Structures are given as C-alpha cells and as structure tokens.
Amino acid sequence: MSAALLAAAAMLGLLASGAGAVAPVKLRAVLTVILTVAACGCAGAAAVEVLSTGHTAVIETGSLMPLSRFALGLDALGALFTLVAASIGACAMVFRLGYAGHGLSSRTASSTLPLFVTTLLLVPAASNVTTFLYLWELMALTSLVLVLTDHRHRPEVQVAGQWYAVMTQLGAAAILIGLVLLATRAGSQSFTAIAERGPRLTPSVRDTVFLLTLGGFASKAGAVPLHVWLPRAHPEAPGPVSALMSAAMVNLGIYGIVRVGDGLLGGGPAWWWLLVMAVGALSALFGSLHSATSTDLKRLLAYSTTDNVGLMLLGVGASGLFAATGHRTLALVALAAALLHVAFHAVFKGSLFLSAGSVQQATGTRDLDSLGGLLRAMPVSAPIFIVGALAIAALPPLCGFVSEWLLLQAMLHGLPSSNTAIAIAMPVGVGALALTGGLTAATFVKAVGIGFLGRPRNEAVATAGDVPRSMATGAGVLATACLVLGVAPFLVLPAVLDAARTATGTTIADPLSRGWSLGLSGVHGALAPGLIAAGLTLAIGLVAGARRLAQVRALRHVEAWGCGREIQTARMQYTATSFAEPLIRVFDDVLQPVHDLDISHTAESRYYVESARFHTSLEDGFERHLYRPATSMLRWWGALTRRIPNGSVHRYLVFGFVALVLVLVVVA
Amino acid sequence: MSSSWPAATVAATSVLQVVLLVVGGPLLVGLMRKVRCRLEGRAGPPIHQPLLDLRKLARRERMRPEHATWVFSAAPLVLVGTTLVIAAVAPLLTTSPAFGQYGDLFAIVYLLLLGSVALALGALDTATAFGGMGASRAMTIGAVAEPALLLSVLALSIPAHSSDLPAIITGSLTHPIWLATPQRLLALVAFVIVIVAESGRLPVDNPSTHLELTMVHEAMILEYAGADLALVRLGESMRLALMICLLADLFVPWGIATAPGPAHVGLGLVAIVAKVAVLGAGLAAFEVTVARLRLFRVPELMAGAFVLAVLAVVSALVSP
C-alpha cells in the first residue's frame, strides 16, 4: 500500500509539473497546486504508513534510468523526512495560490515548483546510489531555477543564483565522489548492501567517504563555513520557495549525514562526530550572531536557518560520539532530539518564511528598518509570524522549546563521563546552545518588535492590507502546528524515535517516557509541556481577571509619554539597526563591522558641519576571509590561462602537436 | 516524589508558595530599600511600602499609548503569569510542591525568558525611542547572561545526574559535601552575577534611576500606568524574590520541608523567609558599595561569570 502511495506521489508530482508547463495561465496555479498538494498527501500517507507499520515501502524499476535501476525504499528514517517535506510542501503550495509576486506563474516556474517539491519528497526514499544522486541533482537544479525566478528584475538575484549554483554543484560533486567511492569499494550500489559491508571497509576509505559526503551535505544544510550561499539564495527566492528551501531542503543535508554516517558506514570513530559537533557549534553561534544583526527580514531568517542547522548537527554529532563510546541509549536520545528539532524547525521556519513572504507581498519590502506596526495592518499574518518567532526562540509552550530541552537533556546526561572527548564536547555544546538561545531571543524580539509592533515607518506599510486567505491558511496551519506540537510532542515523538532507531540500528525499547510528560527513562525529572501550557493559561487568566476587577474606568488611549517628549514621530523609534547596535559592539571582534563617517565642513569655518554621512556595513567574515581570496585567486588563474589561447591558429596547432606527442610518450 | 504526599497537602503547599511570593516579593523589595536607606543614613519608607504602592497603582486608571496594541497590555500579564507558574512548581517551601517532578531547572530558565521577551515586546510596542532603547539593552544583557546561567545550571545538575530542581536539592541535603565542592562555589558566584543582571540590580542596572541615557529596565516600562504598572512592579519583585529563593535552595537548602505536614512546611516557610531576607539584605548592602557599570562593561562581567561557570563544569567533571 505504501509503495503504491509513494508511486502515486511521484506520478502526481510529474503530472503537476506537466500541467504547469502546458495549462493556460488562468488554470496554471490552481492545477499545479491541487496536484502537488495531492502528491504531498500521498507521500505523507505513505510515510505515516511506513512509520506506523515499520515496513519499508519498495519500488524498483529497471527501465527508467540509463545505467542503473531506479530504486526507492522508504524506511522509517526516510519516512520522517518525507513526512516533514510533505507537510511543508502542502502548506507552501496552498500559500502559493495567493502569492502573486516574483513571476511564479510563468511557465518555467510553475512546472519547476511541483518538480522541486516532488524531489524533496523522494530524495529520502532513494535506496541506491544512482537514484539518490539523480534525485539530489534534480532537487539542486530545480531549486536553482526557482531561485532565479525573478532574475530579470533584480540583479541581486543573479548574484545569489551564481553563489548557489557554484556551492550546490561543488557539494554535489563531493557527494558524488564520496558515494561512488563507497559503492565501488562495497561492491554494490544498493543502500542495504552498502550498509552491511560499509562498517568492514578500511578506515582510510571510510574516513574519505565520510569527509567528502559531510562536506557536500553540510553545504546543502548551510553549515558554516559552507553556508555563504544560504543567506543570499533563501531571501532572494520567492516566498513559498524560500520556505521550502529553509524548512525542507536543508533538512536533507542532515538526512544525508545521518544516512551515510550512521546508516551506510554504520557509525565511526569519535573524531568524525567531534568534527560534526564543532561544525554544529560554529554554525549555531555564527548563524545566530548574524541573524541577530541582520536588518533584512528574510536574510535574518536565512541566517537563523544556519543557526538551527547547527543545533541539529550538535545533536547528530553528540549521538555519534555517544555511539562511538558505547553509550547506546544516549546515542538514540541525542539523535531523536536532533531529528525532533529537524521536524520542529521545519514547522516554525516554514510559518516564519511564509509569513515573511506575506509581508513582502503586502508591503513590497523586507527591510525591517522601513516596516513597523504590521500587527494593525495585517491582523492575520502578523500573529502567525509572532507565534513562529516565539517558537524559534524556544519559549514554552511552543514546539522549539521541547526539542531544545531534549537536546540539552541528552548532552547533560552524557556527563559525568570518563571519556575525555565527551567531557569536553558536551559542556561546549551546552554553552553554544545557551548563547545561541539568548541571541535568538534577541533576534526575534527585534524582528517582531521592529517589524510588527510600534508605528509604521512609511506610508506603504501603514496602508498595507492583509494577504489573501490561501496565503494566511498555508502559514497559519504551520503556526497552529507550532502550538499543538509544543503542547503535545508525543504526537510525533514515536515517529522520531523510530527514525532514530532505524538510523542507529538499535532496538532499545523506551529511552523516553511517553505520554504528556517527556523525560529520559530512569532519570529524575521530566518536562510536561501540556502542563506548562495549562498552567500559563490559568495563571495569565487569573492575573487578567484580577486586573479587570481592580479596574475602575475603561482603558484610556493616550499619546505616548516618552519621558515628556512633545513630538513623537515614527522615525524616532528604534530601528532594527539601532536595536542590534549593542550586540554588534559586544561582538565586534567576531563581526568586524565597517564604519565609515564622512563629514564635510562649511567653507567659512571648520567648526560648522555642512553635511555628515555615516555608513556602516556588516560582512560575512567567512566570505571576506575565505571566499573572496579564493575567488580572486581563481580569477587570477583564469586571466593567466586566458593569455595562452590568443586566437592564433599556429599556436593551437602547436598545442595539438604537443598533446599528441605527450599521449604517445605516455602510451609508449 | 509527590505521589507519597496527600494531594490536598501538595496543592495547599503550592498555593502557599504562590501567596508567599506574591506578598513576599514586594516585601523583599521594601526590605532591600530599607537596608539601602539605613546604610546611607536615611530613615527610608516602611518595609511594606511597595505593597501600599501596588494597592494605590491597582486602582488608578490604565493607559495605553495610541499606537500600541494588545501586545502592550498582554506583556504584564505574561510577566506575572510565568512567575506564578514557576512559583507553583518550584521547590520553595518543600521539595514536593504540586507537579514538582516537572520543576526542571531548564524549564524554569526558559519560562523566565518568556517573561523577559514579553516585556521587551511590550516596550517596542509603545513606538517610543525609550521603549526600543530599553528593549535593545535588556535583550543584549539577557543574551550574554544566558550562557553563564545555563552552564551554571549544568554544573549544578552534574552531581545529581538530573536538571530536576527537587532532585538537586534532595541530593544536596543527603550529600552536604556537594555544597562545599569547588564546582558548587564557582557556580554560586556565576549564578549570583547572573541574578544581579537578570533582575536589573546594581551594578548592571539601577532600578531607581530615571536618567534617560542609563536606564534599561525602567526605560521599557515608562509607558505603563495604573494596574498595568502595578503588575509590572509586582512581576519584577516576584522575579527577584524567586531568583533569590532559588539561590537559597541551591546553595543553602537546609530547612526546606522534605516531608508532608504543617510542622515541616511551617519550618520551611520560616527558613526560606529568613534565608531570602538575609540574602536580600546582603545584596542591598553590596549595592550601596558599587557604582553602576557602563553598559558596554556589562558583557565583560557576564563573560567573567561564563568563565566561572565553565570552571564549575570542568571541576564537576574532574572531581569524583
């Protein structure tokens, strides 16, 4: 049954893509959305069935691709990622119905979008190397086309597309080399066969494969230092595409690391996982710091994706480290925490990116410094963003809190340990998580407080109306899920545990207590998210009641006092730039902001200022210190080699001759 | 743990804890003001003056800036609401309050954060420069204080193998040696610094200043009036009392009720009041001797606290 559903999902996806290419423009959006949502529904149903029965859904056919069989096999680990992608895909497609901007209704975009969603659904189901690589590459290419949707109108889209194209193809090449090496050494390209033989390969092969695939998958996940494309490409993509990329596509990077590291190679030495944890901690800190200082709403969200990917990698790395040192149960719990964060991050980041898309459509800008007061102008979309923001800041009773709590518990219970690696890595992990948590809270107070509260900073924002119902529905479903999953995480926890068991190959029955309270078995103390939610509702209700009782007269709306200031204009409010200024100052060693103050004096006297210009910019440190030297070296090399073929036929004849001689020498 | 206790006793103890914090918070602020005044050679208002202030404010008219939304009005409710939830589940009088098995230290930290975030959002909602300034500064200080806080929680949790607060306290009562270990003392210092920062006391923030350029917390609540202001004042004093209670629980736990019965709970009540009064008076006396730090020196202080917390974790790991 689940295999049929999976096949139906693939068919519907292809059909939707075809419909996008041939249907008349009026029907195009509706047709592709209906068919793609149906595809997501089928894939989601298949995933749920796999997770509930534990049977793998297998589809194999020999005639679909050259050189190899097309093989899909959805197991519990893949099913979790397919389920997440299906939920995000369905919501993003519903949102897309009302999303007018960015030329998404062009023939190319409408046929590419369903294809992209379908690859997101199928990549976790691929069960041999060739199928995986084909689907992976298709996913990379379709997402690239979608990022470039608006390239005619905005030059920054082209730059973003270039970065994305280069990074994603380098990553794909690394994965290709790694997996092909693995397949040839293991003597088979089927994942099940590799998983049997993978652990017995020589350490040098295993290390090479792990490092290559880690590089490729980490670049797709947007982990530091391979993240540079992410804060460019995710913001420039149209609203629903950014949501799909940030909430569903980056997950597949995590999937790849877990599938190859834990599944195909069967775990590895401690240093692999210490490396993963180090990358995770660095990504979390770097991402949260940059998202705390960004003033572009979607760029802020993109950096926070890097931050959350870092947290997932911390969990994955901790899990591998525990497994490498023999703590089986803890390994399972840590991986479950990471996968839970994958699922929950998808939910809240999806709602955030979709409502940021709504904001962009309604106001025409995503610059926080010119937004403001959207809670009045967009009474439906703004609360959706606020719920997502509270969830990502890990505040109870929303879902982000639960996964971060579980991650903290997993790292805490690794201590005290006789193993030095664990004893060092876990406190560092907790420290990174804590600093990230504080910065994320500041970031989203900024995003909500500057963008959605206060007064509108310009006319377009003040008169912006709310978006069509379909957009609000797509984002609203995800925001509701933030609350429901935060209160009742047991709805997804068994599925997450199944996925973690499949990945680690363990059969430990109940590492976590079930039901309304969540905690590690055999350990004192637990978390009852439902109880916290109920308690908060009760307490806030009581306090509100008491305030109502004490109230003598109705609430009076007055001019803001502001310490007695007479005129208060919208421009006097704190902006996102000024809000983040103390943070930039505190972390200036890391962020290295560039300030430029230009004062020109009047001709009469240098004591009078004629005009002053202040410019401040904040660049990505990795871009400046790593990528820019690399690209300038490439450019230098390109300029050098360009001099050799100068157009002279004689010279080309010499090249041909020399090459021929060399070949003959080598052959002889 | 609470299963062995009669349900009615447990519920009554939790209610008592909430009442204690609602009444005790303002009294603690009054006491700290009194101590400060006496040390400065002034008579000072009576200790129960904050309670009188609250009663006066509660009856006054509530006002809301014209550009603000429901977020502004909801912030004080969330601030007080989160503190009430913590007061009900945290072990203040007894190690087994209602739902005490869910009194996880990380959960408490994040609930406190929810209150701070609500207040910062309320401040930004006023659309004034001061609101934004206070929110920005408070969130910056909060962000740099968070690592020290969570790492000292981690250091405290390692010996008990749990971040569950009752488990940590009962553990320290049965193994008093835990209290004298270097990790506990290092964590204590880090914890105190974080409490000072989180509750906006000197030298991080001066609760009695309204000088425009230096205020942090006060800048956030400038626009509140009437019952809303009463709630904010109540909330901040309860948070201060709660954090000092946690400090007392974690570092001098003796006296807390470990068995049911009015006698034990009564003893717990006396003990916690005495401990909090002494600690509060000590904090007030310390405040007289220091000047407020410049805003950009605060992160250095927090970095110091972070280093102490790291050392606490390391020594917890190396000690048997």
Side-chain angles (χ1 to χ4, degrees):
Chain A
M1 182 61 192
S2 49
L5 280 169
L6 199 60
M11 292 302 158
L12 282 167
L14 289 177
L15 203 62
S17 173
V22 295
V25 73
K26 275 184 190 162
L27 285 174
R28 215 178 272 160
V30 181
L31 261 181
T32 51
V33 167
I34 290 175
L35 287 170
T36 319
V37 169
C40 290
C42 286
V48 168
E49 195 178 325
V50 168
L51 285 167
S52 54
T53 60
H55 297 304
T56 306
V58 180
I59 304 174
E60 286 206 30
T61 158
S63 53
L64 212 59
M65 298 187 303
L67 300 176
S68 155
R69 298 174 67 78
F70 181 81
L72 295 180
L74 194 64
D75 61 359
L77 175 63
L80 180 71
F81 284 86
T82 299
L83 185 59
V84 169
S87 321
I88 304 299
C91 291
M93 287 312 285
V94 172
F95 178 88
R96 185 251 169 280
L97 261 186
Y99 190 79
H102 289 83
L104 257 191
S105 45
S106 78
R107 217 174 271 282
T108 324
S110 340
S111 67
T112 317
L113 184 58
L115 208 56
F116 176 47
V117 175
T118 314
T119 55
L120 289 175
L121 298 174
L122 294 185
V123 165
S127 67
N128 73 21
V129 170
T130 319
T131 314
F132 182 83
L133 289 172
Y134 268 117
L135 287 171
W136 185 267
E137 192 56 31
L138 193 60
M139 174 178 85
L141 289 178
T142 45
S143 55
L144 176 60
V145 170
L146 289 168
V147 166
L148 286 171
T149 310
D150 206 19
H151 73 101
R152 286 213 188 91
H153 305 289
R154 290 180 303 134
E156 59 270 26
V157 176
Q158 295 170 14
V159 180
Q162 281 165 5
W163 274 96
Y164 181 41
V166 171
M167 292 305 290
T168 194
Q169 290 311 312
L170 284 180
I175 296 170
L176 175 84
I177 299 170
L179 286 185
V180 167
L181 178 66
L182 182 61
T184 43
R185 288 305 165 99
S188 165
Q189 63 150 325
S190 131
F191 278 0
T192 37
I194 297 179
E196 272 170 30
R197 292 167 212 166
R200 292 197 299 272
L201 297 174
T202 57
S204 60
V205 172
R206 286 162 48 83
D207 291 349
T208 319
V209 170
F210 184 75
L211 287 180
L212 279 170
T213 50
L214 178 65
F217 290 128
S219 98
K220 184 55 89 186
V224 169
L226 304 168
H227 66 286
V228 277
W229 62 274
L230 196 145
R232 291 170 182 275
H234 285 208
E236 298 304 342
V241 179
S242 345
L244 282 169
M245 289 174 81
S246 243
M249 194 175 72
V250 294
N251 297 348
L252 297 180
I254 304 293
Y255 167 78
I257 295 171
V258 174
R259 173 65 81 193
V260 174
D262 283 325
L264 302 185
L265 297 172
W271 70 263
W272 287 9
W273 305 107
L274 283 172
L275 179 68
V276 172
M277 280 190 86
V279 169
L282 195 63
S283 305
L285 291 177
F286 189 83
S288 59
L289 206 49
H290 271 275
S291 94
T293 51
S294 296
T295 55
D296 176 327
L297 186 57
K298 282 177 87 175
R299 194 174 162 86
L300 175 152
L301 292 177
Y303 268 118
S304 99
T305 299
T306 292
D307 157 14
N308 280 284
V309 161
L311 299 186
M312 299 168 203
L313 288 177
L314 270 179
V316 171
S319 158
L321 190 58
F322 286 138
T325 49
H327 302 76
R328 282 298 191 192
T329 315
L330 276 177
L332 187 59
V333 173
L335 190 62
L339 294 180
L340 195 66
H341 198 64
V342 168
F344 286 174
H345 170 253
V347 173
F348 54 67
K349 192 51 70 64
S351 78
L352 285 169
F353 255 118
L354 289 182
S355 38
S358 302
V359 169
Q360 195 176 2
Q361 167 148 324
T363 63
T365 178
R366 30 174 237 250
D367 182 13
L368 279 173
D369 285 350
S370 53
L371 293 171
L374 285 176
L375 187 55
R376 275 174 200 279
M378 304 178 72
V380 180
S381 301
I384 294 175
F385 189 92
I386 295 178
V387 169
L390 295 180
I392 200 173
L395 295 173
L398 296 157
C399 62
F401 169 63
V402 178
S403 50
E404 282 200 19
W405 185 85
L406 200 57
L407 202 55
L408 276 170
Q409 290 298 320
M411 294 203 266
L412 164 68
H413 290 297
L415 299 169
S417 167
S418 48
N419 186 293
T420 324
I422 291 184
I424 293 172
M426 297 306 149
V428 171
V430 172
L433 192 83
L435 184 56
T436 307
L439 287 171
T440 310
T443 307
F444 284 89
V445 163
K446 177 185 74 175
V448 170
I450 306 289
F452 295 83
L453 305 179
R455 288 167 72 175
R457 289 179 177 77
N458 67 44
E459 196 55 33
V461 175
T463 55
D466 216 322
V467 290
R469 202 168 293 159
S470 59
M471 292 170 74
T473 311
V477 167
L478 291 174
T480 317
C482 287
L483 190 61
V484 172
L485 293 174
V487 174
F490 57 83
L491 293 176
V492 290
L493 208 57
V496 167
L497 274 173
D498 274 344
R501 276 196 203 101
T502 312
T504 49
T506 48
T507 48
I508 299 160
D510 274 323
L512 296 173
S513 57
R514 290 178 177 192
W516 287 96
S517 89
L518 172 69
L520 275 66
S521 298
V523 170
H524 259 306
L527 184 72
L531 208 63
I532 292 182
L536 275 178
T537 319
L538 180 69
I540 291 175
L542 277 176
V543 181
R547 186 172 70 178
R548 171 63 62 86
L549 280 179
Q551 191 169 320
V552 199
R553 270 179 286 176
L555 177 70
R556 189 151 62 98
H557 295 269
V558 293
E559 203 178 323
W561 176 57
C563 263
R565 233 168 236 281
E566 292 217 341
I567 310 162
Q568 309 259 2
T569 68
R571 278 179 60 84
M572 286 181 186
Q573 298 175 92
Y574 251 45
T575 59
T577 314
S578 43
F579 189 93
E581 203 270 347
L583 277 173
I584 296 182
R585 246 206 241 198
V586 171
F587 293 100
D588 59 351
D589 290 340
V590 188
L591 292 169
Q592 300 184 338
V594 180
H595 300 302
D596 184 15
L597 181 60
D598 194 4
I599 295 180
S600 51
H601 301 280
T602 51
E604 292 83 40
S605 160
R606 62 180 201 84
Y607 295 107
Y608 294 98
V609 173
E610 190 172 38
S611 70
R613 210 181 118 270
F614 179 72
H615 180 81
T616 176
S617 65
L618 205 61
E619 267 187 300
D620 193 315
F622 285 97
E623 203 174 309
R624 186 172 3 164
H625 297 298
L626 190 68
Y627 287 89
R628 202 167 299 159
T631 45
S632 64
M633 210 159 88
L634 277 178
R635 206 167 283 151
W636 171 80
W637 176 248
L640 199 74
T641 46
R642 207 179 303 143
R643 258 184 260 156
I644 301 173
N646 63 349
S648 142
V649 180
H650 304 286
R651 194 178 275 199
Y652 294 159
L653 285 173
V654 171
F655 288 159
F657 179 69
V658 170
L660 185 68
V661 169
L662 279 179
V663 167
L664 288 174
V665 166
V666 169
V667 170
Chain B
M1 242 180 272
S2 62
S3 54
S4 59
W5 289 46
T9 323
V10 167
T13 325
S14 276
V15 171
L16 188 61
Q17 289 195 156
V18 171
V19 172
L20 174 72
L21 211 58
V22 170
V23 180
L27 284 180
L28 174 68
V29 171
L31 174 76
M32 290 176 71
R33 273 189 209 152
K34 191 79 176 174
V35 170
R36 186 181 173 93
C37 287
R38 280 297 164 86
L39 287 175
E40 288 172 343
R42 295 182 281 137
I47 289 177
H48 64 283
Q49 186 65 43
L51 281 173
L52 301 177
D53 291 345
L54 287 183
R55 195 182 64 180
K56 176 186 72 183
L57 284 172
R59 291 181 185 163
R60 292 224 174 138
E61 191 180 18
R62 289 174 59 211
M63 287 189 274
R64 184 159 103 182
E66 54 196 343
H67 297 288
T69 58
W70 54 267
V71 173
F72 175 80
S73 303
L77 300 181
V78 177
L79 182 73
V80 177
T82 49
T83 323
L84 289 180
V85 170
I86 303 172
V89 301
L92 306 179
L93 295 175
T94 136
T95 50
S96 308
F99 308 116
Q101 69 270 38
Y102 304 124
D104 180 88
L105 210 41
F106 289 120
I108 291 175
V109 168
Y110 278 99
L111 276 172
L112 285 173
L113 183 65
L114 176 60
S116 319
V117 164
L119 203 59
L121 287 179
L124 283 165
D125 202 21
T126 60
T128 62
F130 287 117
M133 187 180 79
S136 161
R137 291 176 178 180
M139 290 316 292
T140 306
I141 294 174
V144 289
E146 196 79 7
L149 180 59
L150 281 190
L151 272 184
S152 45
V153 168
L154 181 69
L156 296 170
S157 317
I158 289 173
H161 294 280
S162 170
S163 58
D164 182 48
L165 199 46
I168 298 175
I169 296 171
T170 37
S172 333
L173 283 173
T174 44
H175 311 277
I177 189 70
W178 285 4
L179 297 167
T181 49
Q183 74 252 32
R184 195 54 78 100
L185 299 174
L186 287 165
L188 170 71
V189 181
F191 210 77
V192 169
I193 296 178
V194 171
I195 286 178
V196 165
E198 293 274 345
S199 54
R201 310 293 304 188
L202 281 170
V204 173
D205 184 15
N206 186 350
S208 57
T209 185
H210 282 93
L211 186 64
E212 281 92 336
L213 295 177
T214 61
M215 46 184 179
V216 179
H217 178 77
E218 290 299 315
M220 287 202 286
I221 62 171
L222 272 181
E223 300 297 327
Y224 284 106
D228 287 327
L229 184 58
L231 284 178
V232 172
R233 292 274 178 238
L234 178 66
E236 69 197 23
S237 63
M238 281 168 65
R239 279 160 72 99
L240 177 65
L242 182 77
M243 286 192 255
I244 295 185
C245 277
L246 289 181
L247 189 69
D249 270 348
L250 288 167
F251 301 98
V252 265
W254 297 286
I256 191 165
T258 48
H264 287 105
V265 174
L267 180 66
L269 180 67
V270 173
I272 197 78
V273 168
K275 284 185 279 189
V276 170
V278 170
L279 286 171
L283 190 57
F286 166 73
E287 283 191 316
V288 177
T289 64
V290 292
R292 189 180 170 282
L293 276 179
R294 270 175 52 213
L295 185 65
F296 291 103
R297 299 296 297 275
V298 172
E300 292 170 22
L301 185 67
M302 293 303 131
F306 177 72
V307 170
L308 290 175
V310 170
L311 288 177
V313 172
V314 170
S315 67
L317 292 178
V318 296
S319 66

